[in-house]
Amino acid sequence: MTLSSPGLDAALDTAAVTAARAGRRKAPRLGRRRLTFDYVTFLVAFLGVPLAIYIVFVISPFIQAVYYSMTNWTGFSPNMQFVGLDNFVKLFQDTTFLQAMGNNIVLAILVPLVTLAIAMVFASMITIGGPSSGQVRGLRGSSFYRVVSFFPYVIPAIVIGILWSQIYSPSGLLNGLLDAVGLNTNDFAWLGDERTAMGASIFVIVWGMVGFYMVLFIAAIKGIPAEVYEAARLDGAGRFRTTISITLPLIRDNVQTAYIYIGIMALDAFVYMAALNSTGGPANSTLVMSQYLFRTAFEKGQFGLSSAMGVVLAVITLLFAAVVFTVNRLTGGKDEGGRS
């Protein structure tokens, strides 16, 4: 038997009508904000000003470079003629430019791989490469190793290039040391031989950059909880297995950022290559696009053609970054929240 009363029925009817009206009512719009003085000044200071600076100093010069790349501008005259894509056609018919592009691609592949691999090894040794028992820690004296490894990075690149060009010279330190241990080099010119010029140049770049990325990886590894490594140790994981299966996946974002930064540097490499071998090496074996661009602009006076080289280099750099992001996503770099 159901008990009811007129007052209860009326209350239920009123609640039903209210619920129905609420269901028909439009949901409030999200994200609407009143244009107060504080909000407007915030947009101007933190969005408008940086955006204006970016447009003026980044986007505008790039647009100008694209325009100049379609002209025959000499760089020292206001007169120029529009030639369309002729400069780009000429570039891809120039065997020297194609060789320089190939050298850049070799640098973009080898320099990041070698540098980051060595930096990861050093960072792992300094942070978690200590004793296999007790607290997880690095090697004894790790602070000293950190300072010594970082020291080459604080030296200007031009100084590093000039220093190693003297070391690599036929009468330089390298040949002297090899002769001292019984390896007769016959005053071998390391930068003057097509077989060794590129390898010697890559070694210099790696030597100058590995310390910075080692410190970057050390900071990233320090952010990983020690309990993770202790659990891996209890499961019997060795140092190599720990680095591959735990450290690398947990600092994937740092590795991706480092790869892009050093890859962009390798695609330029102007300072190192110009200091080591300003002529581009034997048979242009160490010539890079930025070197050839500089020579075309300031020695030949073909600023329109050199602008086309700059545009090609910029496009290759953007493609390189896109490839790194894509590979990172395809190899599991995208987490559940959609952030890579």
Side-chain angles (χ1 to χ4, degrees), residues 1 6 72 76 100 108 112 118 121 202 206 250 255 270 273 289 297 304 322 332:
M1 181 176 182
N72 62 353
F76 304 99
I118 297 175
V121 171
I202 291 176
V206 172
L250 291 179
V255 175
F270 174 79
M273 293 305 188
M289 285 188 287

Side-chain angles (χ1 to χ4, degrees), residues 201-215:
S201 302
I202 291 176
F203 177 84
V204 174
I205 299 175
V206 172
W207 182 85
M209 300 298 297
V210 69
F212 171 78
Y213 293 99
M214 180 199 68
V215 173

Side-chain angles (χ1 to χ4, degrees), residues 58-82:
V58 178
I59 302 299
S60 177
F62 184 75
I63 294 175
Q64 292 180 17
V66 172
Y67 172 73
Y68 291 142
S69 68
M70 298 181 182
T71 66
N72 62 353
W73 185 40
T74 61
F76 304 99
S77 171
N79 300 321
M80 64 184 76
Q81 295 179 351
F82 187 81

Side-chain angles (χ1 to χ4, degrees), residues 145-160:
Y145 301 140
R146 187 183 311 178
V147 173
V148 171
S149 301
F150 188 75
F151 178 73
Y153 182 75
V154 303
I155 303 176
I158 185 65
V159 176
I160 292 176

Side-chain angles (χ1 to χ4, degrees), residues 25-43:
R25 192 176 302 164
K26 293 183 178 181
R29 294 183 179 179
L30 300 178
R32 299 185 63 182
R33 184 188 295 270
R34 295 179 58 188
L35 295 179
T36 62
F37 177 76
D38 291 338
Y39 184 60
V40 172
T41 54
F42 173 81
L43 290 179

Side-chain angles (χ1 to χ4, degrees), residues 105 108-109 252 256 259-260 264 267 315-331:
I105 294 175
I109 294 174
R252 175 186 290 269
Q256 173 186 275
Y259 202 103
I260 291 175
I264 292 174
L267 284 171
V315 171
I316 293 176
T317 303
L318 293 175
L319 291 176
F320 172 80
V323 168
V324 174
F325 279 116
T326 303
V327 171
N328 184 58
R329 287 179 176 270
L330 293 177
T331 56

